[in-house]
Amino acid sequence: MTTTLAMSGQTVLVTGATGGIGLATAVALAGLGARIGVVGRDEQRTAAAVNAVLAVPGSGGADPFLADFSDQ
């Protein structure tokens, strides 16, 4: 018996979502129907991650959030 966790209607904020485990997490959660808040430091990489999330069938959508704390 396979159980699927439906995340439809949920919003998840994923930090470090522009690569590695963060991006894999964002894509996997999008595949479950969640809307993803993609947090990254680089504008181009963040936009690319948003596009990757939006390309997932069943994705609930994605929003970019830039969080560059190099100059506090």
Side-chain angles (χ1 to χ4, degrees), residues 1-7 32:
M1 180 175 177
T2 303
T3 303
T4 302
L5 176 63
M7 297 281 302
L32 295 174

Side-chain angles (χ1 to χ4, degrees), residues 22-72:
L23 180 57
T25 299
V27 167
L29 290 169
L32 295 174
R35 180 169 196 85
I36 307 298
V38 177
V39 180
R41 295 179 295 164
D42 180 81
E43 187 173 2
Q44 286 77 28
R45 288 183 64 188
T46 303
V50 166
N51 289 333
V53 168
L54 293 174
V56 174
S59 170
D63 299 297
F65 294 93
L66 293 179
D68 184 357
F69 298 113
S70 63
D71 184 15
Q72 297 183 17

Side-chain angles (χ1 to χ4, degrees), residues 2-24:
T2 303
T3 303
T4 302
L5 176 63
M7 297 281 302
S8 181
Q10 301 295 313
T11 301
V12 180
L13 185 66
V14 181
T15 60
T18 60
I21 292 172
L23 180 57

